[in-house]
Amino acid sequence: MALSVEATTIPDLLVVRLPVHEDNRGWFKENWQREKMLVLGLPDFQPVQNNVSFNARRGATRGIHTEPWDKFVSVSSGRVFAAWVDMREGDTFGATFSIEIDPSVAVFVPRGVGNSYQALEDGTVYSYLVNEHWRAGESYPALHLADETVALAWPIPLDQADLSEKDLANPRLGDVTPMPRRRTLITGAGGQLGRALAEAFPQAHAVTRAELDLTDTEALQAWPWHEYDVVLNAAAYTAVDLAESAEGRRDAWAANAVGPTVLARLAREHRVTLVHYSTDYVFDGTVEEHAEDEPLSPLGSYGQSKAAGDLATTTAPRHYLLRTSWVVGDGKNFVRTMADLAARGISPSVVSDQLGRLTFTEELARATRHLLTSAAAYGTYHVSNGGDVTSWADVARVVFELSGRDPSDVTPITAAEYAVGKELAPRPTHSALDLTRLRATGYEPADARESLASYVAALQRP
């Protein structure tokens, strides 16, 4: 029999058929083989503890327990009738599945699915891998083995089986509070991107810096990470010019480098998918369109701190590093400033030799959802709106035209001319990002010009 993985009537509960090699001495099997099993669709659940339950007599029955971690269950000796009940909140609450397990069968049990079994032979050894260490005082749902609603078909009647007093005291299904599913956490929810993500992910837990400060390592470590399966890290230090000062440099590195480093470590420990947002400033701007594999070459302190955060993020096994450029959302930004100048009759001089594409926060949030829900490969993706590469002056002219002003009221100047008399951080000349890898996932970015028109129109509404 070849190694295989089968779906069941409970979502994410998987049956694994194991080859067992027998001879005159007994048998041998690979009970857990990460590389082979992942190829067949088993989650990379990162077990950290192996537990063994010895069942002295036929009829020993245990359950129904819903621990807040994943399990990989099997038997080393004997046989069991195993049964599961979906105890997660949602449409499948109360769904059941059962199977007889001998040494040739194993089952992956996702967090929130109640687990139970009954030994069918004396001396049965039941073994299970788990991906979190047992925690004293942890409470979780349990269900009575004889619950009439799920009506599990125990081969040995329960009045003839061996049960613990604790299991006999478990509630019926109608009295059980379903286990909440792990949530999405949004950090930096007070910023432009954070607000857009909170709107796009309404069920997520969105926190501002006042609630969770990425520069506070102790606060990060104390956060209840076991309650989350995805973190959208929109928190960042974005004062590009101030980052060149001594104080600004320290603040930028604390938020953009140290914070993501701690987040990546916590994501590894808790099997969290980490989505981290970065910037075109990690490049020096000498390439006209930046691909994901271009070597990092930041010009200033802000870009250097973001580049360090990029490198840290890639150490999380489940990560999406999303680099973006010229961000526009609900808050202070270039487009809003130009619209305000147009409305007040001011004719600005705007840089014309820095080139890129706008990224509207709604677009970035939409791309984030796409990558998460389409099971796109983990890694680095460049995300912006689509369309032609433009200069800042080009964008300003369009904003003026959409605002009823003459586009010629915007005077193009060079970056060098704009910098005269100002203390500015160095900026990349070319900020456009190559969107080929993002498009390969089936995602098509919205045109920047069309999104700009919608954005300006929304600004003009009373």
Side-chain angles (χ1 to χ4, degrees), residues 21-244:
H21 309 282
E22 299 185 60
D23 62 17
N24 61 300
R25 299 166 296 175
W27 56 260
F28 168 83
K29 66 173 177 174
E30 291 182 333
N31 198 58
W32 162 247
Q33 217 283 7
R34 177 181 176 274
E35 183 177 10
K36 294 178 182 178
M37 292 178 179
L38 261 58
V39 169
L40 294 174
L42 202 74
D44 192 5
F45 74 110
Q46 300 173 266
V48 297
Q49 184 171 322
N50 184 33
N51 301 324
V52 177
S53 173
F54 177 72
N55 303 275
R57 294 182 299 278
R58 175 180 181 272
T61 306
R62 305 172 190 262
I64 303 169
H65 306 146
T66 314
E67 292 94 348
W69 43 73
D70 302 324
K71 291 182 176 182
F72 185 82
V73 304
S74 60
V75 297
S76 299
S77 178
R79 295 177 299 123
V80 301
F81 170 81
W84 295 272
V85 181
D86 196 337
M87 304 288 279
R88 299 169 293 189
E89 61 183 10
D91 295 340
T92 60
F93 177 71
T96 65
F97 177 78
S98 60
I99 193 173
E100 184 176 305
I101 297 180
D102 61 20
S104 69
V105 176
V107 177
F108 173 77
V109 185
R111 174 189 182 274
V113 173
N115 186 77
S116 62
Y117 70 90
Q118 187 175 74
L120 301 179
E121 297 179 8
D122 293 346
T124 292
V125 178
Y126 178 90
S127 176
Y128 53 104
L129 299 170
V130 296
N131 57 3
E132 286 194 30
H133 296 109
W134 179 80
R135 298 186 293 269
E138 183 83 19
S139 61
Y140 46 81
L143 180 64
H144 201 286
L145 291 158
D147 181 78
E148 297 81 5
T149 304
V150 300
L152 298 174
W154 299 105
I156 301 169
L158 293 177
D159 59 3
Q160 300 173 31
D162 292 333
L163 282 69
S164 71
E165 291 297 323
K166 182 178 180 181
D167 286 345
L168 286 169
N170 288 337
R172 261 50 181 190
L173 191 67
D175 297 320
V176 171
T177 300
M179 177 174 282
R181 296 182 182 271
R182 295 176 77 184
R183 297 185 292 170
T184 294
L185 177 69
I186 300 172
T187 62
Q192 290 188 93
L193 176 56
R195 287 194 288 273
L197 290 170
E199 185 172 344
F201 294 82
Q203 303 304 317
H205 181 197
V207 295
T208 64
R209 181 179 180 182
E211 297 165 279
L212 182 61
D213 186 349
L214 258 64
T215 66
D216 186 341
T217 300
E218 289 186 5
L220 282 176
Q221 292 173 335
W223 197 258
W225 295 107
H226 62 277
E227 296 179 5
Y228 305 92
D229 59 358
V230 175
V231 174
L232 309 180
N233 180 32
Y237 180 97
T238 58
V240 174
D241 297 320
L242 190 58
E244 295 300 312

Side-chain angles (χ1 to χ4, degrees), residues 288-289 326 355-357 386-391 394 430-433:
E288 290 189 359
E289 198 166 52
W326 294 17
L355 307 174
R357 292 189 188 93
D388 295 334
V389 173
T390 63
S391 70
D394 293 332
H430 295 282
S431 293
L433 302 173

Side-chain angles (χ1 to χ4, degrees), residues 371-386:
L371 292 171
L372 289 171
T373 58
S374 66
Y378 295 122
T380 303
Y381 292 85
H382 286 176
V383 181
S384 73
N385 281 77

Side-chain angles (χ1 to χ4, degrees), residues 197-415:
L197 290 170
E199 185 172 344
F201 294 82
Q203 303 304 317
H205 181 197
V207 295
T208 64
R209 181 179 180 182
E211 297 165 279
L212 182 61
D213 186 349
L214 258 64
T215 66
D216 186 341
T217 300
E218 289 186 5
L220 282 176
Q221 292 173 335
W223 197 258
W225 295 107
H226 62 277
E227 296 179 5
Y228 305 92
D229 59 358
V230 175
V231 174
L232 309 180
N233 180 32
Y237 180 97
T238 58
V240 174
D241 297 320
L242 190 58
E244 295 300 312
S245 68
E247 182 179 357
R249 185 178 298 110
R250 287 191 295 270
D251 291 343
W253 275 82
N256 297 341
V258 178
T261 299
V262 177
L263 272 184
R265 175 176 60 77
L266 292 166
R268 290 195 303 273
E269 293 175 2
H270 296 277
R271 305 173 317 283
V272 168
T273 296
L274 174 60
V275 182
H276 179 71
Y277 300 92
S278 188
T279 173
D280 59 293
Y281 276 68
V282 300
F283 303 119
D284 61 12
T286 58
V287 177
E288 290 189 359
E289 198 166 52
H290 305 287
E292 285 83 356
D293 59 357
E294 180 182 333
L296 302 178
S297 53
L299 297 173
S301 292
Y302 166 73
Q304 291 160 9
S305 68
K306 292 297 288 185
D310 285 13
L311 295 174
T313 298
T314 62
T315 65
R318 305 172 184 178
H319 75 269
Y320 292 104
L321 171 59
L322 306 188
R323 295 198 189 107
T324 190
S325 63
W326 294 17
V327 175
V328 179
D330 177 18
K332 183 179 179 180
N333 58 68
F334 176 81
V335 172
R336 191 180 290 265
T337 298
M338 291 300 107
D340 177 65
L341 295 178
R344 291 192 288 133
I346 298 173
S347 299
S349 297
V350 182
V351 172
S352 61
D353 58 353
Q354 290 176 349
L355 307 174
R357 292 189 188 93
L358 296 174
T359 307
F360 289 87
T361 53
E362 289 182 359
E363 183 69 21
L364 192 47
R366 187 170 72 92
T368 300
R369 179 173 289 282
H370 167 78
L371 292 171
L372 289 171
T373 58
S374 66
Y378 295 122
T380 303
Y381 292 85
H382 286 176
V383 181
S384 73
N385 281 77
D388 295 334
V389 173
T390 63
S391 70
W392 288 116
D394 293 332
V395 174
R397 290 191 191 99
V398 173
V399 174
F400 265 57
E401 183 177 9
L402 292 169
S403 302
R405 289 281 302 276
D406 188 336
S408 65
D409 288 343
V410 175
T411 301
I413 60 171
T414 66

